[in-house]
């Protein structure tokens, strides 16, 4: 879905396919028919954006075999879909029974991460619509926070230099500009915008920037105005926004709130939990730790569990959708568009508590369409209109 900002920028709205289980090319193509095309039809849209997650083996096949890439591009076109962004945070195995901290492997101190990311950029250059100004690839924020000795930090930063060189070479070769966006996440080397400035400041903004996940921003209790100003002052562009919302318990000591939260303490993904104290933000690495008493419960908790955007959480819980709305307003509500790739990323549909999760593909497609419709409405309320034009943003 494309929207037209008043300054002439085309803003691309998509949903992220990491909600689907597919780690082969045949599986990726099947999910386009089973989910993405029905979402487009439910929205009544002529064109739907899909931010693809392509596991390592799929990316390798697409990068090495032009016929495979042509096949995927043709399938996207056939079903009224377009791709301007890839989610290259998970490397593989994102829907195993237990993922947890494995999602951060390999990290940026491992050459496999660089090779995978550059392969993703090459694939995206071949998938971009002809009239797209540029593409984006989001990635993890260097690594999980420990172990992270100086030697690994130095290796990671050498990889970032090679990444910049590789993206520039790809642009010379193909004429397509692909930027890589590092996504701050609780518990990582870069978990907030202050750390993003410290670790990523000084990188070439023509090729590298930040992917702002609004669930993560909220979990860290960051105020959008200060966070965005901090990034802007450091010359770190917001390359991509992942539109997402965290869970919040205003009174986590309430037995009803704890019972409700317990329904979200599932085994596949990590659900970092934070609270704000007089000494700053304090947290634990997973929700069960908080429920076991390892986190103070005299102030609100925020939980890294991507909640559906369009539906209010059942009381006594709520979501941090207002943080997302604030970010969108600050990036796109002014005279200039400060970001042009918006990706709805609720990958947790299939691990919602029973009764909330969809029971079949049609139910999931309906939920995804509802999230996109909600986000589209938020953007049109800011003055954006459907429009095909493409123009560089000032980000």
């Amino acid at each position: 879905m494309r929207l037209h900002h008043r300054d002439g920028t085309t803003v691309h709205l998509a949903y992220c396919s990491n909600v689907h289980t597919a780690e082969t090319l045949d599986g990726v193509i099947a999910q386009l028919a089973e989910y993405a095309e029905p979402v487009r039809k439910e929205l009544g849209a002529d064109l739907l954006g899909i931010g693809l997650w392509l596991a390592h083996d799929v990316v390798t096949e697409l990068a090495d075999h032009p016929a495979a890439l042509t096949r995927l591009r043709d399938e996207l076109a056939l079903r009224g879909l377009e791709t301007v962004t890839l989610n290259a945070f998970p490397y593989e195995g994102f829907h195993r029974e237990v993922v947890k901290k494995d999602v951060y492997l390999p990290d940026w101190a491992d050459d496999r991460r660089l090779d995978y990311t550059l392969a993703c950029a090459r694939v995206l250059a071949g998938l971009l619509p002809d009239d797209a100004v540029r593409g984006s690839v989001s990635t993890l924020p260097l690594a999980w926070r420990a172990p992270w000795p100086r030697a690994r930090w130095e290796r990671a930063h050498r990889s970032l230099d090679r990444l910049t060189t590789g993206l520039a070479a790809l642009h010379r070769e193909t004429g397509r500009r692909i930027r890589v966006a590092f996504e701050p996440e609780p518990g990582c080397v870069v978990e907030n915008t202050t750390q993003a400035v410290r670790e990523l400041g000084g990188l070439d903004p023509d090729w590298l920037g930040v992917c702002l996940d609004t669930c993560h921003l909220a979990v860290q209790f960051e105020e959008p105005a200060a966070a965005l100003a901090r990034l802007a002052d450091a010359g770190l562009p917001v390359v991509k926004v992942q539109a997402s919302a965290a869970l919040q318990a205003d009174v986590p000591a309430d037995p009803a709130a704890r019972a409700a939260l317990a329904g979200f303490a599932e085994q596949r993904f990590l659900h970092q939990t934070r609270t704000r104290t007089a000494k700053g933000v304090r947290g634990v690495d997973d929700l069960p730790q908080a429920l076991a008493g390892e986190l103070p419960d005299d102030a609100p908790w925020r939980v890294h569990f991507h909640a559906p955007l369009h539906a209010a959480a059942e009381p006594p819980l709520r979501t941090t959708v207002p943080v997302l709305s604030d970010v969108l307003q600050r990036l796109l509500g002014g005279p200039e568009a400060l970001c042009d790739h918006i990706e709805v990323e609720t990958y947790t549909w299939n691990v919602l508590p029973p009764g909330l999760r969809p029971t079949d593909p049609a139910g999931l497609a309906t939920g995804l369409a509802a999230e996109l419709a909600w986000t589209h409405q938020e953007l049109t309320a800011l003055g954006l209109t459907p429009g095909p034009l493409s123009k560089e943003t000032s980000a």
Side-chain angles (χ1 to χ4, degrees):
M1 300 169 78
R2 299 184 180 193
L3 296 102
H4 182 205
H5 191 272
R6 63 181 65 90
D7 73 353
T9 300
T10 294
V11 176
H12 295 268
L13 173 62
Y15 87 88
C16 185
S17 74
N18 66 353
V19 66
H20 306 312
T21 305
E23 297 202 22
T24 66
L25 180 57
D26 286 344
V28 169
I29 288 174
Q31 75 188 15
L32 301 181
E34 188 170 21
Y35 298 103
E37 187 176 13
V39 169
R40 179 183 64 78
K41 290 180 176 179
E42 183 145 351
L43 288 166
D46 294 330
L47 185 67
L48 176 68
I50 180 166
L52 291 175
W53 171 61
L54 303 172
H56 169 262
D57 288 350
V58 180
V59 168
T60 299
E61 180 178 358
L62 293 170
D64 291 347
H65 300 285
L69 186 60
T70 297
R71 179 188 174 202
L72 178 55
R73 184 181 174 108
D74 289 348
E75 285 286 341
L76 289 165
L78 176 68
R79 304 192 183 283
L81 308 171
E82 70 172 3
T83 294
V84 302
T85 188
L86 298 185
N87 184 336
F89 195 129
Y91 183 82
E92 61 187 2
F94 192 56
H95 289 274
R96 292 197 305 259
E97 185 175 343
V98 178
V99 178
K100 299 294 183 179
K101 293 180 183 178
D102 285 350
V103 75
Y104 308 109
L105 299 174
D107 61 35
W108 274 97
D110 187 324
D111 285 346
R112 290 178 297 165
R113 176 59 64 174
L114 173 66
D115 294 343
Y116 170 64
T117 307
L118 285 173
C120 284
R122 179 166 294 277
V123 167
L124 181 56
L127 294 177
L128 278 181
D130 292 340
D131 61 347
V133 170
R134 59 189 166 211
S136 63
V137 176
S138 51
T139 185
L140 74 158
L142 300 184
W144 186 251
R145 67 180 182 273
W148 194 241
R150 181 71 185 184
R152 292 186 64 76
W153 182 93
E154 290 173 350
R155 288 184 63 183
H157 280 265
R158 286 196 295 270
S159 286
L160 300 191
D161 291 338
R162 293 162 61 195
L163 176 63
T164 300
T165 299
L167 295 172
L170 180 65
H171 180 247
R172 290 193 299 270
E173 176 188 343
T174 66
R176 309 318 302 264
R177 180 178 294 276
I178 309 297
R179 296 191 294 176
V180 170
F182 296 85
E183 179 186 334
E185 178 165 317
C188 292
V189 171
V190 176
E191 67 175 359
N192 56 43
T193 56
T194 298
Q195 292 171 345
V197 169
R198 183 186 70 206
E199 297 289 341
L200 305 173
L203 297 179
D204 189 337
D206 287 341
W207 307 109
L208 307 180
V210 169
C211 171
L212 201 64
D213 184 303
T214 55
C215 170
H216 303 171
L217 190 79
V219 169
Q220 289 297 134
F221 287 89
E222 291 206 75
E223 296 298 331
L228 292 171
R230 189 175 295 119
L231 295 175
D233 290 345
L236 277 171
V238 179
V239 169
K240 172 178 176 178
V241 168
Q242 284 183 327
S244 57
L247 286 174
Q248 177 160 327
D250 289 322
V251 187
D254 177 9
R258 298 179 85 87
L261 286 172
F264 292 88
E266 54 83 34
Q267 68 176 0
R268 179 175 299 165
F269 300 119
L270 205 60
H271 299 297
Q272 301 92 317
T273 305
R274 300 287 187 267
T275 190
R276 189 158 47 187
T277 72
K279 296 183 178 180
V281 176
R282 180 175 169 184
V284 293
D285 289 339
D286 210 354
L287 177 57
Q289 295 173 263
L291 294 171
E294 296 182 30
L295 193 66
D297 60 5
D298 55 353
W301 286 358
R302 289 181 176 176
V303 182
H304 177 212
F305 193 113
H306 287 217
L309 302 182
H310 65 289
E314 294 184 6
L317 304 183
R318 60 189 179 100
T319 74
T320 60
V321 157
V323 174
L324 166 59
S325 297
D326 193 352
V327 167
L328 293 178
Q329 193 281 324
R330 294 178 186 281
L331 288 174
L332 294 167
E336 293 183 296
L338 302 179
C339 182
D340 56 358
H341 291 178
I342 311 296
E343 179 184 68
V344 173
E345 200 221 8
T346 307
Y347 60 85
T348 46
W349 275 96
N350 294 318
V351 293
L352 286 167
L356 297 179
R357 73 181 66 159
T359 57
D360 56 27
L364 178 54
T366 296
L368 294 169
E371 287 195 288
L372 283 164
W374 181 91
T375 309
H376 191 275
Q377 184 176 356
E378 288 283 299
L379 294 172
T380 56
L382 297 175
L384 279 71
T385 57
L389 300 179
S390 293
K391 177 187 173 182
E392 288 279 356
T393 71
S394 59

